[in-house]
Amino acid sequence: MKRELPEGMHKLGAGVTTEEGTWKLTPSALTQVTPTSRAKGVPRGWRTAKMTWTLTNKTSEIQQLLNLSPTVRYGAMGRPAAEFTDTGIEGIANAISDDPPRVKPGGVYTLTVGVAVPADAAGEPVTITTRPSTMFGDTGDVDFFEGPFPGAAARKDSVLHPRPVPDTEKALAFGQWKADPQMTVDHVRPEGTADGRAMFSGELTVRNAAAVADLPYTPMKKSVRVYYADELKEAELIPGGAGAADTGFIAPQRAATHTFHFSLPKGAKAESVTVEVTDLGTAEGTFEGKLAD
């Protein structure tokens, strides 16, 4: 029987036992909602939906609630979705505190979470990664869930199939895909000026080429170093890893996109830039191209 999702991923609505059988996580499918005037965190013009997380204590002891901290992405490129709160949509509870929520043996704790995506992303897949943690740190278990954002039929081109270029010692052009690891840098463009410095943004997309959800996972923890001019003068270093904007693991056969921002020194002019992507200090790919208008 053909699998609709890679092995190890789960449809939204399915329950998954995790933490050595301590908990059962059941995230519901997304349902469309209209935000009220009290909504917080909804970007202008974005569509909104909500989902319910049901956490069941499977043990005979009182358990401190897991801190889910889900990473939510949408579409084939895995761009970050926005999480919002509203009346009746309280969001993820803070389980890392001096007095965290607790769940009795066999008890259930529910959370209602708001998810927002751009208006043209209706019907796109929403991929959610959970790596629960406690006050002592990450627990180690990673689970992947996926389901469509409501509002329209899912697009047929919602699965990303990059065409990596052959291995080469030359830098790749923006938009080209490196084969190993699968990644690309694209949409590098101006964003105005600030304090006399020219501001820019770009997108780094990393794809997990694994066929199943098994260790080692592919984390989105790349650092980006930007150079300009023929002498490759360093413009900026955008570090990855702990504390970066998007460090959640990437599901198998899925991608994650991180938007990075950089500036050029005052008075510096450049028609093109070179972007080096590193992981824990090791260079993994170099891309170059013109700054788009």
Side-chain angles (χ1 to χ4, degrees):
M1 182 177 68
K2 183 179 179 180
R3 297 185 62 91
E4 295 184 24
L5 294 174
E7 183 179 347
M9 289 185 67
H10 313 281
K11 289 183 178 180
L12 289 178
V16 176
T17 300
T18 187
E19 309 309 307
E20 298 182 349
T22 301
W23 291 94
K24 182 178 181 181
L25 308 180
T26 309
S28 73
L30 289 156
T31 58
Q32 191 167 348
V33 295
T34 300
T36 72
S37 59
R38 295 179 176 271
K40 297 180 180 180
V42 181
R44 184 183 296 275
W46 283 32
R47 292 176 179 261
T48 50
K50 68 177 182 178
M51 64 187 305
T52 300
W53 283 83
T54 303
L55 288 73
T56 305
N57 179 2
K58 302 287 290 182
T59 74
S60 59
E61 301 176 353
I62 294 174
Q63 295 290 337
Q64 175 180 322
L65 186 68
L66 283 175
N67 193 57
L68 287 179
S69 300
T71 299
V72 185
R73 304 183 177 108
Y74 73 90
M77 299 295 282
R79 291 186 169 89
E83 296 181 43
F84 71 94
T85 58
D86 201 349
T87 302
I89 303 177
E90 68 275 14
I92 298 294
N94 180 16
I96 309 299
S97 66
D98 293 335
D99 187 21
R102 297 177 178 85
V103 183
K104 64 183 179 181
V108 172
Y109 195 100
T110 59
L111 300 163
T112 304
V113 178
V115 176
V117 300
D120 62 356
E124 290 284 338
V126 174
T127 307
I128 301 175
T129 302
T130 62
R131 189 187 191 190
S133 61
T134 68
M135 62 184 303
F136 303 108
D138 294 326
T139 62
D141 282 1
V142 179
D143 290 298
F144 303 104
F145 302 89
E146 189 171 275
F149 195 92
R155 301 175 185 175
K156 293 182 180 180
D157 61 351
S158 61
V159 178
L160 180 65
H161 294 293
R163 296 181 179 178
V165 299
D167 289 338
T168 175
E169 295 179 356
K170 297 181 180 180
L172 302 181
F174 290 158
Q176 289 185 316
W177 279 85
K178 191 175 186 300
D180 184 21
Q182 289 190 7
M183 66 170 65
T184 187
V185 171
D186 205 0
H187 303 117
V188 181
R189 53 178 62 121
E191 282 197 329
T193 59
D195 298 325
R197 298 167 65 96
M199 310 297 294
F200 303 87
S201 67
E203 289 186 342
L204 166 65
T205 302
V206 179
R207 183 174 183 269
N208 183 359
V212 300
D214 196 7
L215 289 171
Y217 301 112
T218 297
M220 186 63 170
K221 58 179 180 63
K222 313 298 182 184
S223 296
V224 173
R225 195 182 299 269
V226 182
Y227 302 90
Y228 69 100
D230 293 338
E231 300 85 0
L232 293 181
K233 296 180 179 180
E234 184 173 333
E236 201 148 352
L237 168 65
I238 302 96
D246 183 1
T247 58
F249 288 104
I250 305 172
Q253 300 295 305
R254 299 295 185 265
T257 293
H258 171 61
T259 299
F260 58 92
H261 303 270
F262 65 96
S263 63
L264 296 182
K266 289 182 179 180
K269 295 183 179 180
E271 295 183 354
S272 62
V273 293
T274 300
V275 178
E276 183 183 55
V277 182
T278 65
D279 190 325
L280 298 178
T282 300
E284 291 194 330
T286 305
F287 302 82
E288 63 183 8
K290 292 185 177 181
L291 296 169
D293 295 329

